[in-house]
Amino acid sequence: MVPTIGVLALQGDVREHLAALSAAGVGAVPVRRPAELAAVDGIVLPGGESTTISKLLGIFELLDPLRARIADGLPAYGSCAGMILLAGEVLDGRPDQEQLGGLDVVVRRNAFGRQVDSFETDLDMTGVGSVRAVFIRAPWVEKTGADVEVLATVPGDAAQAAGRVVAVRQGNVLATSFHPEITGDLRVHAYFADLVRSA
Ligand code: GLN
């Protein structure tokens, strides 16, 4: 059976994720309502602005249903702002910013700093291979719990941020600081689609 993966469609680069998922061979639908969330086999939380998405999750009455489904094992993939939303704890966030949970990590928002707030590099991602990673005011993972697997770090030749953790997985929850949805490389979405199929 072909799984249907939802993309949380409140703000951010929703279209790019929908296109990448479709190209990776799964059903891809936008999710704005609890009934739409209830119908998906997995969920993508796109890049955008985590504080805005957090606020909209409340307004659209998706915060509790999404938290509940993720706690229940719904496969979830967050890129950039999506990683921030999945994290148990956020540094440099807004005090009223809500967390979905699912990832036992501490992330730092806008971590790469102003000079290098957006950059690209090639890096190795476990289970995927070498990928072109595009960072746009990205977070990094500053602390990982015992059940969190580190899938990628910034390579040593990328100066300031070398060694920083930028892709993680905990069970059915996947997160990257970078944006594979804008590179045309479908392998990270294919990796998530495989995770959804085997969940
Ligand atoms: N800085 C953004 C945030 O805090 C994330 C940026 C992105 O998703 N490209 O949510």
Side-chain angles (χ1 to χ4, degrees):
M1 215 193 71
V2 178
T4 299
I5 299 181
V7 178
L8 183 67
L10 302 179
Q11 191 262 341
D13 65 343
V14 176
R15 250 188 315 174
E16 289 80 354
H17 278 288
L18 288 170
L21 289 167
S22 299
V26 295
V29 295
V31 167
R32 279 188 207 89
R33 302 164 202 277
E36 292 166 341
L37 174 64
V40 296
D41 305 307
I43 187 86
V44 170
L45 310 172
E49 176 48 58
S50 57
T51 56
T52 305
I53 298 174
S54 158
K55 207 173 292 169
L56 292 170
L57 278 168
I59 293 170
F60 282 74
E61 296 180 348
L62 278 169
L63 191 57
D64 290 334
L66 192 48
R67 272 186 185 141
R69 279 217 73 189
I70 292 170
D72 210 37
L74 178 73
Y77 166 41
S79 81
C80 204
M83 171 192 265
I84 296 172
L85 287 161
L86 289 167
E89 189 184 337
V90 180
L91 305 174
D92 295 336
R94 281 179 46 140
D96 60 347
Q97 171 159 17
E98 302 275 5
Q99 300 311 121
L100 293 169
L103 261 188
D104 181 16
V105 298
V106 179
V107 300
R108 187 174 295 280
R109 213 171 136 240
N110 302 328
F112 290 89
R114 288 196 184 279
Q115 285 91 3
V116 288
D117 65 355
S118 298
F119 70 104
E120 297 184 27
T121 185
D122 293 318
L123 53 75
D124 275 319
M125 181 167 166
T126 303
V128 176
S130 173
V131 294
R132 186 80 185 154
V134 179
F135 295 89
I136 305 165
R137 292 187 308 283
W140 66 41
V141 176
E142 228 162 271
K143 221 178 191 181
T144 52
D147 297 332
V148 177
E149 187 189 354
V150 172
L151 300 182
T153 56
V154 175
D157 51 5
Q160 290 96 328
R164 290 297 182 175
V165 173
V166 290
V168 289
R169 177 175 175 178
Q170 181 177 3
N172 287 340
V173 180
L174 174 72
T176 61
S177 304
F178 49 89
H179 292 270
E181 71 278 10
I182 61 176
T183 62
D185 181 345
L186 302 173
R187 288 173 301 153
V188 175
H189 290 81
Y191 176 96
F192 181 60
D194 283 344
L195 195 162
V196 171
R197 279 189 204 97
S198 56

